[in-house]
């Protein structure tokens, strides 16, 4: 693995086979990925191609069958304070206030939460004054904003997002996309966004990684040429539309997924 001075994220030969009662599922095969520090990439691909498996492995939540992942000089072998994660659902504990939910990862790691940073982030995402509310008092979009704050509270180097806005309505989703770009422009975290919306992938990322169906591997990397900050009006331009369509074709041309389960011999 190449050693770099900055905190580039390196995935090398990532292979994951799940062993199930009915046989083995080859979820990832030899995935290589390098994300420079501060780069924003997105990953798209057919359902079941291993996107979540890849992201969870990077987060240290899954153990690879073979291959390795490193952040800068450090191997990722388990959950890591420099890596924050956002899921499709906000996953806020209903019996804890928003602030107590945001503090939970620090609590688990037994470190003191940075209250000032949390307040700044709450203000940043438009949730000033909502820290003492309960999750049920917030809309879906607001809950996802709170979960962005939770992911960023420990000031991670890397932010991982697994289809974070899939459950939101189109309007709220556009708002969240603008917010994510603003936060990224202000903080330059390394971001990996998984999404089933190719438009969202193109709108937000510097590069779009296209994954092929099982076993998942990277089939193509597409550079996104649009200047930043990007406005929502970009999505209505011919250039944007053409790039989204090219990626869509790339995904559609892939051979259909092999059977999910390869019988263990
Ligand atoms: P994606 O996020 O791209 O939809 P996943 O990473 O969730 O794909 O899943 C990739 C493949 O691995 C799928 O065939 C899925 O059924 C299988 N899979 C995912 N998690 C498990 C698990 N815990 N046990 C067994 N198979 C799994
Ligand atoms: Mg998934």
């Amino acid at each position: 693995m190449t050693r770099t001075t900055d905190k580039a994220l390196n995935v090398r030969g990532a292979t994951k086979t799940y062993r199930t009662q009915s046989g083995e599922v080859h979820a990832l095969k030899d995935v290589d990925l390098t994300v420079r520090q501060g780069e924003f990439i997105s990953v798209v691909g057919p359902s079941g191609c291993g996107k979540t498996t890849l992201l969870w492995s990077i987060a240290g939540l899954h153990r690879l069958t073979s291959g390795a992942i490193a952040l800068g000089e450090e191997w990722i072998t388990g959950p890591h304070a420099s890596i924050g994660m956002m899921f499709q659902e906000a996953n806020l504990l209903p019996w804890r206030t928003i602030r107590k939910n945001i503090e939970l990862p620090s609590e688990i790691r037994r470190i003191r939460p940075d209250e000032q940073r949390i307040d700044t982030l709450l203000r940043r995402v438009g949730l000033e004054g909502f820290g003492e509310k309960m999750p049920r008092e917030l809309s879906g979009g607001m809950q996802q904003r709170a979960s962005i704050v939770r992911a960023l509270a420990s000031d991670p180097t890397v932010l991982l997002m697994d289809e974070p806005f899939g459950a939101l309505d189109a309007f709220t989703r556009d708002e969240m996309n603008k917010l994510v770009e603003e936060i990224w422009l202000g903080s330059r975290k390394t971001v990996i966004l998984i999404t089933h919306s190719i438009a969202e992938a193109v709108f937000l990322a510097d590069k779009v990684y296209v994954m092929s169906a099982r076993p998942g591997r990277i089939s193509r990397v597409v550079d996104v040429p649009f200047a930043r900050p990007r406005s929502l009006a970009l999505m209505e331009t011919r250039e944007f539309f053409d790039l989204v369509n090219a990626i869509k074709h790339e995904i559609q041309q892939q051979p259909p997924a092999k059977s999910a389960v390869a019988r263990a011999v």
Side-chain angles (χ1 to χ4, degrees), residues 219-256:
S219 66
R220 201 172 152 207
V221 185
V222 179
D223 283 311
V224 180
F226 307 119
R228 294 185 190 270
R230 296 175 184 164
S231 82
L232 291 172
L234 170 68
M235 295 203 206
E236 282 145 37
T237 65
R238 181 68 204 228
E239 291 74 16
F240 185 88
F241 186 77
D242 285 348
L243 190 54
V244 168
N245 263 335
I247 296 173
K248 207 174 276 178
H249 270 113
E250 173 77 25
I251 297 175
Q252 282 164 352
Q253 273 170 11
Q254 288 169 9

Side-chain angles (χ1 to χ4, degrees), residues 65 68 75 79 89 93 101 127 137 163 174 193-194 202 228 248 255:
T65 308
W75 300 107
E89 303 293 332
L93 297 177
N101 266 288
L127 286 181
E137 298 177 83
E163 308 206 5
D174 283 352
L193 167 76
I194 287 179
V202 171
R228 294 185 190 270
K248 207 174 276 178

Side-chain angles (χ1 to χ4, degrees), residues 160-185:
L160 306 175
M161 298 192 280
D162 192 359
E163 308 206 5
F165 310 129
L168 302 178
D169 62 84
F171 179 71
T172 310
R173 191 174 186 144
D174 283 352
E175 265 181 9
M176 297 301 281
N177 284 341
K178 274 308 290 171
L179 179 66
V180 167
E181 193 198 29
E182 278 168 30
I183 289 176
W184 178 75
L185 287 170

Side-chain angles (χ1 to χ4, degrees), residues 98-165:
I98 294 301
R99 183 179 299 277
K100 286 281 176 203
N101 266 288
I102 292 167
E103 290 173 356
L104 186 61
S106 319
E107 221 175 280
I108 292 168
R109 292 189 183 110
R110 293 167 196 271
I111 50 176
R112 188 190 293 273
D114 182 342
E115 292 301 338
Q116 214 177 335
R117 182 175 166 79
I118 291 174
D119 284 332
T120 308
L121 284 166
L122 282 172
R123 210 172 313 125
R124 182 76 205 69
V125 304
L127 286 181
E128 190 173 17
F130 284 87
E132 311 321 314
K133 302 266 188 214
M134 303 307 276
R136 64 172 179 277
E137 298 177 83
L138 273 63
S139 69
M142 290 163 94
Q143 291 192 18
Q144 270 307 35
R145 288 165 192 261
S147 89
I148 296 182
V149 174
R150 182 182 52 195
L152 294 174
S154 62
D155 201 10
T157 309
V158 179
L159 175 62
L160 306 175
M161 298 192 280
D162 192 359
E163 308 206 5
F165 310 129

